[in-house]
Amino acid sequence: MRTARRGSPAPKTLAARLVAGLAALIGLVVVGALCPGAAVAQSPAGRAPAQGRSAGAQAAGLHIAEGRLLEGNGNDFVMRGVNHAHTWYPGETQSLADVKALGANSVRVVLSDGYRWSENGPEDVAAVIEQCKANRLICVLEVHDTTGYGEDAAAGTLDHAADYWIGLKDVLAGQEDYVVVNIGNEPWGNTDPAGWTEPTVAAVKKLRAAGLQHTIMVDAPNWGQDWQGVMRAEAQSVYDADPTGNLIFSIHMYSVYDTAQEITDYLNAFVDAKLPILIGEFGGPADQYGDPDEDTMMAAAEQLRLGYLAWSWSGNTDPILDLALDFDPSRLSDWGERIFHGVDGIAQTSKEATVYGGGAPDTQAPTAPGNPTATTVTDSSVTLGWTAATDDTAVTGYDVVRLGDGTETTVAASTTTTATVTGLTPGTAYTFAVRARDAAGNRSAASPAVEVTTDEGGGTPGGACSVGYRVVGEWPGGFQGEIAVRNTGSTAVGPWTLAFAFPDGQTITNMWGGTATQNAGAVSVAPASYTATIPAGGTVTLGFTAQKGGTNTAPAAFSLNGAACATT
């Protein structure tokens, strides 16, 4: 990934991406000047598949044959989907239903093997797989802890990631129709990228020796962008190391790929060699490092019938690559509109996996939910509950809509039969109804309406803001935290100052999304330029790393611009 969670030990930092970009723009020019034949990475084209092996013959479910990703019934499957940062946002389970409703047929899910962040254990991974299946999505599971190994000292090894997958063998067994195992995200930086080949081969062999038969996905070095051509040159030898032949390569395309020639040359080299490949991450918005040519990426993928998975659904600290703002499918960014609704985009080109029903489209809407009732009413929020709808496949979520003047506006979404609508005006009457959704995006008729009048107000603590605090991951002497600040009022807030106190001597060492000033345990946070305003009903997310001692108690209270906030 490029910008998600900037500044944390999590994803790739901007400095690393800058190194990649400068190396691509400067290093290749120098190499080309000194040795023109070396300026283009070696192509694997023309090399025949390994002899004595029928590609994909030992696998059930998704498999590789003649350089193509196929389903168990032999149908071609072309991924059209997005990346979702599950390990950092485990509560955003609605996201899978949302991307499916927008037309995606697959999702790449960020997990942690426990080396760098809190491990996603067997129960969590099993739940993710079931959510993918309930939403009729093919699920690519990836370990993110390997990002930038060899250049980023905090990164884990592919061998550690392989052990994690082997530990999940019981969870993964029987899921070959639905799951692709992406061993490790961007598992090598820019330092000596030739070192990528040996541990990649070893990890593939280790997984196969342990009995995993799933299609394996392999990311490129150079932070996934392979600008030095190592994966391109060594692809055949890595592919040959898999005795099942069920291995697919993943190239990540960001600012290194800013011309049509670079993109088409790279993808065609694999296609010509009948080596399977997809674009496992890519970005489009221009930044200070360059302007990726996403139009060519998407057009070439469609022409060559190759998969693509856009980065990323939501939650990037710098939201330039958020497809949806604040995980809200009704608030797609320009980048999101391009991916889902643009030329060669998901809505135009995605086809659901036939394992979910033979490819016949699901056109039957769920039944209408039962009568909603208000269970909690404050001056600025209403909590509603209703009886469940039914569907011929499965109900994947509900939308709460506000009715008025012959129109309706979606104001909340939920995967359960309750939801809270926030940002309301005190002493005001509102009319709400509920619609159910299924995985194909079909919406039910509206439920009966309910009218609710908010309280008059008058000093409810935390009536204008709420704060969610959580520890993302811990290690000896330190931890990574996240603070979600929600404006529950009816008008935008900004600029703002958030105040709280650590009770156990914790000390912030780095923050993204804002700037922290700390005096003993007392912390004051000013916003970054891109978080300076919190819209009514909106949320900004702050991330940070900190030092800690033996205990790590959460702050007890938060205030926004001097007013106490509710805690969630």
Side-chain angles (χ1 to χ4, degrees):
M1 66 185 178
R2 181 171 61 176
T3 62
R5 303 173 66 80
R6 175 186 303 172
S8 73
K12 188 170 315 166
T13 62
L14 287 176
R17 188 65 68 185
L18 178 59
V19 172
L22 289 177
L25 296 174
I26 298 173
L28 288 179
V29 171
V30 173
V31 172
L34 296 175
C35 183
V40 178
Q42 177 182 339
S43 168
R47 299 178 64 176
Q51 298 299 313
R53 177 186 67 197
S54 176
Q58 299 180 33
L62 291 163
H63 62 280
I64 302 297
E66 293 297 313
R68 305 292 303 168
L69 177 63
L70 306 180
E71 292 191 69
N73 61 7
N75 283 7
D76 210 42
F77 182 69
V78 179
M79 290 190 188
R80 289 287 182 266
V82 304
N83 286 262
H84 170 53
H86 171 75
T87 197
W88 303 309
Y89 301 98
E92 297 294 342
T93 55
Q94 175 64 27
S95 296
L96 299 186
D98 291 338
V99 300
K100 176 63 179 183
L102 287 164
N105 65 14
S106 47
V107 62
R108 181 171 179 258
V109 180
V110 177
L111 300 176
S112 171
D113 65 3
Y115 187 88
R116 191 169 185 178
W117 300 288
S118 297
E119 179 180 338
N120 296 100
E123 290 185 1
D124 184 35
V125 176
V128 167
I129 294 171
E130 290 308 308
Q131 289 160 10
C132 284
K133 291 165 68 175
N135 289 289
R136 304 163 74 93
L137 292 164
I138 296 301
C139 203
V140 179
L141 302 177
E142 62 104 336
V143 162
H144 216 79
D145 307 66
T146 57
T147 306
Y149 181 81
E151 185 173 352
D152 189 333
T157 65
L158 280 170
D159 187 64
H160 190 274
D163 287 340
Y164 172 73
W165 294 120
I166 293 170
L168 292 172
K169 183 178 176 181
D170 290 344
V171 172
L172 297 172
Q175 304 299 334
E176 291 85 355
D177 276 312
Y178 311 98
V179 171
V180 173
V181 175
N182 190 176
I183 307 178
N185 181 71
E186 302 180 1
W188 207 278
N190 291 323
T191 303
D192 187 26
W196 164 90
T197 306
E198 183 177 347
T200 300
V201 166
V204 171
K205 290 182 175 180
K206 190 172 192 177
L207 292 182
R208 294 309 189 206
L212 271 72
Q213 294 294 321
H214 304 71
T215 294
I216 288 175
M217 186 178 292
V218 171
D219 279 12
N222 295 128
W223 300 91
Q225 295 197 79
D226 200 32
W227 58 266
Q228 288 176 294
V230 172
M231 186 173 82
R232 183 172 168 175
E234 298 297 329
Q236 189 71 55
S237 63
V238 173
Y239 184 82
D240 290 346
D242 183 357
T244 74
N246 294 304
L247 183 145
I248 187 169
F249 296 94
S250 173
I251 182 68
H252 293 184
M253 289 187 166
Y254 291 104
S255 54
V256 167
Y257 294 91
D258 56 0
T259 69
Q261 193 69 47
E262 291 167 326
I263 295 163
T264 56
D265 280 355
Y266 195 94
L267 297 178
N268 275 299
F270 282 78
V271 172
D272 291 345
K274 292 188 177 181
L275 288 169
I277 191 169
L278 85 165
I279 307 174
E281 285 185 23
F282 69 105
D287 60 20
Q288 62 266 47
Y289 308 110
D291 187 1
D293 185 0
E294 71 276 16
D295 290 342
T296 297
M297 296 175 201
M298 296 167 72
E302 179 63 12
Q303 179 187 7
L304 298 171
R305 303 301 296 150
L306 303 179
Y308 65 65
L309 300 164
W311 187 275
S312 73
W313 176 239
S314 197
N316 293 283
T317 301
D318 181 347
I320 188 173
L321 286 177
D322 279 359
L323 297 160
L325 305 181
D326 292 325
F327 295 92
D328 184 349
S330 68
R331 298 172 58 208
L332 294 183
S333 64
D334 290 345
W335 174 227
E337 290 289 347
R338 174 69 188 92
I339 289 298
F340 287 105
H341 300 135
V343 176
D344 299 314
I346 287 174
Q348 187 181 95
T349 65
S350 176
K351 293 183 179 179
E352 186 177 87
T354 59
V355 72
Y356 292 119
D362 177 8
T363 58
Q364 182 173 330
T367 62
N371 288 31
T373 58
T375 58
T376 303
V377 181
T378 72
D379 61 341
S380 62
S381 67
V382 172
T383 299
L384 301 173
W386 56 88
T387 55
T390 60
D391 187 58
D392 62 326
T393 55
V395 173
T396 58
Y398 297 89
D399 296 324
V400 177
V401 296
R402 186 174 66 229
L403 307 177
D405 299 325
T407 63
E408 64 176 53
T409 304
T410 300
V411 292
S414 176
T415 56
T416 67
T417 54
T418 63
T420 299
V421 183
T422 60
L424 305 179
T425 302
T428 303
Y430 292 91
T431 302
F432 300 104
V434 183
R435 293 181 181 269
R437 286 181 275 107
D438 65 15
N442 299 309
R443 295 180 85 205
S444 73
S447 71
V450 60
E451 185 171 307
V452 183
T453 300
T454 53
D455 293 342
E456 290 291 342
T460 302
C465 57
S466 66
V467 174
Y469 176 94
R470 71 184 184 101
V471 173
V472 176
E474 292 189 74
W475 53 90
F479 71 103
Q480 180 177 330
E482 180 181 277
I483 304 170
V485 185
R486 183 171 180 81
N487 175 8
T488 59
S490 57
T491 58
V493 174
W496 50 265
T497 300
L498 180 73
F500 60 93
F502 281 122
D504 297 324
Q506 301 98 320
T507 304
I508 291 177
T509 55
N510 186 29
M511 177 171 278
W512 51 101
T515 302
T517 302
Q518 186 164 352
N519 183 9
V523 180
S524 177
V525 180
S529 60
Y530 53 88
T531 60
T533 300
I534 313 176
T539 301
V540 298
T541 301
L542 311 172
F544 65 90
T545 54
Q547 297 175 345
K548 69 176 181 68
T551 56
N552 189 19
T553 308
F558 297 83
S559 65
L560 190 69
N561 290 345
C565 296
T567 56
T568 59

